[in-house]
């Protein structure tokens, strides 16, 4: 049986386990106040070219989204997201549990367009009763998106411009950020993201860590006492150095990008085979997630030998399925899958 | 200047003010525990043919929706509503502030269809990851809808059937219920609603009262200690008898239906004229709200002599506008408006 | 049977009903955007000597407290209150439902002392783990307090000074404000309150209105878009002019103070009799609420002819009971009660 | 420098890291649906003598408390806790952020007494206005408590009895449960706890794991679809097997109890020395936390060579300080500390 259903099937990059083991009996302060977190912060600041950036480490994506969004919004504001945004679909209502509406906008293969956002906000404030409605208080985008697609630098800058124009912050969910940065031909780098976004996070859980997400706030002080919001949401890890050690390792000698590139190479092998075998793509494959349109017969047949995610209905005869590679995907497994397809 | 922008421009039916004045210096217990509330409850139970029904009086619609929805949902559940539902659009995020997502479904002129709901819920639980998503925990409909349209008895029963099948409650927002009950040709009566819904409310604010909504729970005990949820939401009126006296008056000698019928007669005069003058309707006029498609020139011209609501964009050249009658609309004003159109 | 259990037994001052009746069929914009609200705002600004103050009208006290506190606090902050504060005891958890802790401090007969607050906040920030605790984000006091006691001008100024020193707002709950302003010997006036507080409200429900509380924000803009928070909490009255007309009436020709003085005079007659008859007071009677310590036999005997509130246990043999007068209390009833005591 | 400030200074028991490393590249389903979680669940069920128990794994204590409390309470209910309860003091308002009040009751060295709870609830429902107040919806206790003290079996059973009498659930926070179970002379075992409590959790973070808490629900189905509440609170670990492997290891061959006993032995050495040197104890030392009363001079002197927690003010001259041992404390460090004292 081949496993390609998601990018969190394995543990962590072996170097991480090695360092966790080496440092295991050291005594350090809790709650990410240790030196490992501090060196990890420095390395991330350097990678982002933002020497002043404020950096926080959290355990998982849903809690990171919740903490950031709760900290940025006023009570009567909501967060703009693509209809397909993770916060709108797969977080069991975490944003609403914090008191805020997710304002879903139409998307193109998971991507929001600057114009869509601009038009929505402009129209919103032209409505005489805007004070009776949830005000758009920030924009949430994912990069790569939930369909694996990527923004270009120009698209990100355009969205950033719209946010600045309307004086609301832009937050980028980078749960799979490594796979976006490692994609061939992308012009989006960490410094570009740090220039465009008010807050973003660098995903560890899906990119080589046991768990962990690094929140970057390029302008320190944007969020007051964020640590308290993190604690209130149960997202402040007691043994915080587990996060510091993992991100320090990932941001030493370019490991984060290097393992991401491996996942992309594995995905590309798959994509080439799928194209050759005339599979239909639901979204243009750009990172480590591949979305296909498959009929029920094909799905049933494949299911016997490969595990993958059945994503959503396409039409009465077809479903959208998702195949995912990651930092740990072995080339031999990819080749075995290619033979099966 | 003629005013047709909404149905809460005037005070209350004169009988209500008369009774408030007559009883003004009586001393009664607070918080709707007085005898006026009790007789009003009895009259509403009789009108609904539900002698056991539990009845609560609140001040306004947004707080009523919030209290009912909060009391009915589990933490991880959301409320299904039409995309155009009042709770999804014009309550400043009150439902989300209480921790719950509004799950918007497609509608037809403001109406949800039983099939749409059924298909959504069925598909929802077929998704392997439904535990990671907001579960549909109840259905919210408005009657009349936000576009003034009406459900038929058959449609209500079909929705009720779907809710029972999936074991979730059905809640009907009756902010303008009188105007629905008074519409010519409708087969929806209070007993029909009481049979179909787990909770509904009879709107007073827009139908002859200074303020007030009467929540009806046909099966008493469905919501435990609802009074505490009402209090927690700041929706428990200290001088509660103001609500009792108003609803008692409205449900004496058929006043509620009688004044609603007047509003419908006024709306029908307008509709006839509009049809004669070949105005385009955005939704089939069925109650006291009339939605028209009008171009910018017409709108600007009308605005000089009539106030109405500009509801939403129709296309680049046209807007949807809303004209509303109510229990207090004078026939002479309607005729003046007809002449202007 | 004599009724002295609370100050919301009757309707409204007759002048209010008269004006509601006179204006009943006028058509005005909704949601407190009408001219009656505007003139009421002007009169309140004048009474407070704050020509720029921002003023909002809400229906009841619990919702007013919730809206103000939610609008002022950051997510990780709580509100300091006396242990006996209304928000800590009798609002069914409304503040917590909005996500905030009430931080209860010791009190003297319902009053917080500036020193208590100062010491608490100073100690709080000396704790190394203050970021893991609910930060004191504002101070809530009631005037008169829940025990009917009154702050002096000096005490208010001292609390205000402590709040400014720690850069947190001071909010005064004036549900019974009239009875505080009308107390003999008080040096606390509306302008004094407006100088000391960042937000306060002038209670209508318990002082002559059918319902209604007027929130005063002396420095406009302190709360951004407060109307949206009010709407979100279901506290924005559709027929908002009901609030404007009531407060306009109360603030015309000194009616608010005049009817409050009547209540105080009635309370003083009672207090004199109680002192003469050697009743024990639980708190020094200063406004319209009188708190006595009574044994079970006395209570049972009194209960047959008077209704009053049994407030709390004093010791195994005694309870604290509350007797209340209001703007509508008749002198003959007070005398009858005096004879019974 | 000796470190005794808390019990989460080190990583995990070496066996845990060994097993995480051995299994690192295995592919398993996410979100605690893997086989390691399943075997861990079985071992915990066996240890609790509850073969049907429902078991969930979460990452940390604050999120565990929040999820359980949110799942058990109705909107208008609060949770009874000792004034010193972790949820009342050190979770940055997490419970209130979920909409619920913590109802603090007086305690004895961190312990609640059955009588205190019983009297509070009985009195509560005798108040006529209990519907206007936060209803006591559950009881939260910690074992060991925040002062390191322990309940006896009799005390637990008495509290359990009171909860059953009032039909509310009992929840036990076992963040340091191992140290309670390992204490000499205790008659509280896992089966005893499982018999007394409706929900409890077995702490991993402070007892040998990198992180992780195991929630035990002896009667399955008490909480409906708890996984969704966990997900909504961002507490569902993507690579859930990290939790399964850790708890499987801790519950194999009695490791959990064995390492806990070590901590207790280390604490006892310290206690003996402290008693011999006539230190004053703030609470009777019963588990791995030792609370002392020390004057400022002693504190300053000790601080140069030992790190410990300054817990709270005792009086103007003294503070309460806390010294903690854990599974990883080395005997040589304890002896070094004894020499310093």
């Amino acid at each position: 049986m081949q496993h390609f259903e998601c990018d969190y099937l394995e543990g962590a990059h072996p170097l991480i386990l090695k360092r966790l083991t080496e440092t295991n009996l050291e005594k350090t302060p809790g709650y990410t106040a240790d030196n490992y977190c501090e060196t990890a912060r420095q390395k991330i600041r350097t990678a982002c070219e933002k020497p002043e950036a404020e950096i926080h480490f959290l355990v998982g994506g849903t809690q990171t989204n919740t903490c950031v969004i709760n900290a940025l919004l006023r009570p009567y504001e909501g967060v703009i997201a693509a209809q397909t945004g993770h916060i709108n679909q797969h977080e069991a209502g975490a944003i609403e549990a914090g008191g805020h509406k997710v304002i879903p906008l139409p998307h193109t293969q998971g991507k929001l367009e600057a114009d869509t956002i601009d038009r929505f906000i402009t129209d919103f404030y032209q409505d005489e009763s805007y004070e009776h409605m949830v005000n758009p208080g920030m924009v949430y985008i994912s990069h790569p998106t939930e369909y694996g697609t990527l923004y270009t630098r120009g698209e990100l800058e355009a969205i950033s411009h719209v946010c600045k124009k309307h004086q609301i912050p832009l937050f980028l969910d980078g749960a799979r950020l490594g796979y976006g940065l490692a994609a061939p031909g992308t012009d989006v780098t960490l410094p570009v993201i740090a220039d465009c976004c008010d807050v973003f996070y660098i995903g560890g859980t899906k990119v080589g860590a046991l768990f962990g997400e690094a929140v970057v706030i390029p302008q320190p002080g944007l969020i007051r006492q964020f640590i308290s919001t993190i604690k209130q949401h149960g997202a402040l890890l007691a043994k915080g150095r587990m996060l510091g050690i993992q991100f320090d390792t990932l941001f030493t000698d370019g490991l984060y990008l290097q393992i991401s590139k491996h996942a992309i190479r594995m995905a590309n092998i798959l994509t080439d085979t799928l194209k050759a075998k005339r599979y239909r793509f639901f979204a243009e494959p750009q990172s480590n997630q591949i979305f296909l349109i498959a009929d029920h017969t094909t799905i049933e047949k494949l299911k016997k030998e490969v595990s993958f995610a059945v994503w959503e209905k396409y039409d009465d005869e077809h479903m959208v399925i998702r195949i995912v590679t990651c930092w740990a995907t072995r080339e031999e497994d990819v080749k075995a899958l290619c033979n099966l397809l």
Side-chain angles (χ1 to χ4, degrees), chain A:
Chain A
M1 193 73 174
Q2 298 297 332
H3 288 277
F4 288 87
E5 65 262 47
C6 72
D7 33 20
Y8 39 92
L9 294 167
E10 292 92 352
H13 190 278
L15 261 179
I16 282 178
L17 275 169
K18 185 163 169 285
R19 289 199 63 200
L20 287 178
T21 305
E22 287 167 0
T23 58
N24 187 42
L25 292 179
E26 289 181 14
K27 298 182 187 209
T28 55
Y31 305 116
T32 73
D34 63 281
N35 279 333
Y36 292 107
C37 284
E38 206 38 49
T39 59
R41 285 188 189 101
Q42 277 306 347
K43 288 174 183 175
I44 290 173
R45 285 184 192 114
T46 302
C48 296
E49 297 177 7
K50 291 283 172 197
E52 306 294 328
E54 187 180 325
I55 299 185
H56 298 272
F57 298 111
L58 288 88
V59 171
T62 296
Q63 67 180 211
T64 303
N65 288 333
T66 308
C67 288
V68 170
I69 290 169
N70 267 274
L72 286 174
L73 291 181
R74 293 187 181 84
Y76 57 90
E77 293 177 337
V79 49
I80 289 177
Q83 169 71 35
T84 49
H86 202 259
I87 56 168
N88 193 42
Q89 296 283 2
H90 288 98
E91 301 191 353
I95 304 307
E96 291 85 1
H100 298 287
K101 193 181 192 72
V102 179
I103 304 169
L105 292 191
H107 63 98
T108 308
Q109 299 196 335
K111 287 163 64 179
L112 278 180
E113 280 168 32
D115 262 14
T116 310
I117 302 169
D118 191 24
R119 225 174 320 117
F120 174 79
I121 302 178
T122 304
D123 287 356
F124 180 86
Y125 287 109
Q126 275 170 3
D127 191 315
E128 287 166 11
S129 61
Y130 76 88
E131 290 178 319
H132 291 210
M133 299 193 287
V134 176
N135 284 216
M138 62 184 292
V139 172
Y140 162 97
I141 56 174
S142 309
H143 184 83
T145 69
E146 291 73 11
Y147 283 137
T149 50
L150 296 177
Y151 289 91
T152 64
R153 176 176 179 160
E155 289 168 342
L156 276 189
E157 286 172 347
I159 291 176
S160 178
H161 178 77
V162 166
C163 288
K164 282 186 177 59
K165 174 180 155 190
H166 294 290
Q167 296 181 283
I168 59 175
L170 174 59
F171 169 44
L172 183 146
D173 173 337
R176 295 186 169 94
L177 191 54
Y179 305 127
L181 298 172
T186 183
D187 55 359
V188 171
T189 61
L190 275 176
V192 165
I193 290 172
D195 279 338
C196 288
C197 298
D198 296 280
V199 184
F200 67 99
Y201 75 89
I202 302 171
T205 300
K206 290 166 180 164
V207 193
L210 290 174
F211 57 85
E213 323 294 324
V215 173
V216 183
I217 309 173
Q219 299 285 343
L222 173 73
I223 297 176
R224 183 168 148 160
Q225 211 170 308
F226 191 37
I227 204 84
S228 295
T229 293
I230 296 171
K231 176 68 188 168
Q232 189 182 59
H233 283 82
L236 190 59
L237 194 65
K239 299 182 176 177
R241 78 164 184 254
M242 302 298 142
L243 291 161
I245 290 168
Q246 293 187 85
F247 275 97
D248 184 272
T249 306
L250 290 170
F251 278 83
T252 298
D253 298 335
L255 184 63
Y256 189 69
L257 209 58
Q258 175 197 317
I259 63 177
S260 298
K261 278 184 178 158
H262 169 77
I264 295 299
R265 200 164 61 79
M266 295 300 104
N268 286 351
I269 295 173
L270 274 171
T271 305
D272 290 346
T273 302
L274 289 161
K275 283 186 175 164
K277 300 201 178 180
R278 307 212 167 246
Y279 275 81
R280 283 167 70 196
F281 293 89
F282 177 71
E284 175 63 21
Q286 293 186 288
S287 55
N288 71 319
Q289 298 184 86
I290 302 170
F291 289 84
L292 301 170
I293 300 164
D295 58 41
H296 294 302
T297 319
T298 308
I299 289 173
E300 287 314 306
K301 211 180 112 199
L302 274 176
K303 263 190 176 172
K304 285 174 192 146
E305 307 195 75
V306 197
S307 64
F308 50 86
V310 179
W311 204 248
E312 63 194 37
K313 197 174 172 173
Y314 180 74
D315 60 26
D316 282 352
E317 281 87 44
H318 299 82
M319 303 293 286
V320 175
I321 66 170
R322 185 185 75 164
I323 295 171
V324 189
T325 65
C326 79
W327 61 274
T329 304
R330 295 185 306 172
E331 191 155 351
E332 63 205 79
D333 293 342
V334 170
K335 286 186 175 153
L337 175 56
C338 286
N339 290 335
L340 287 171
L341 288 168

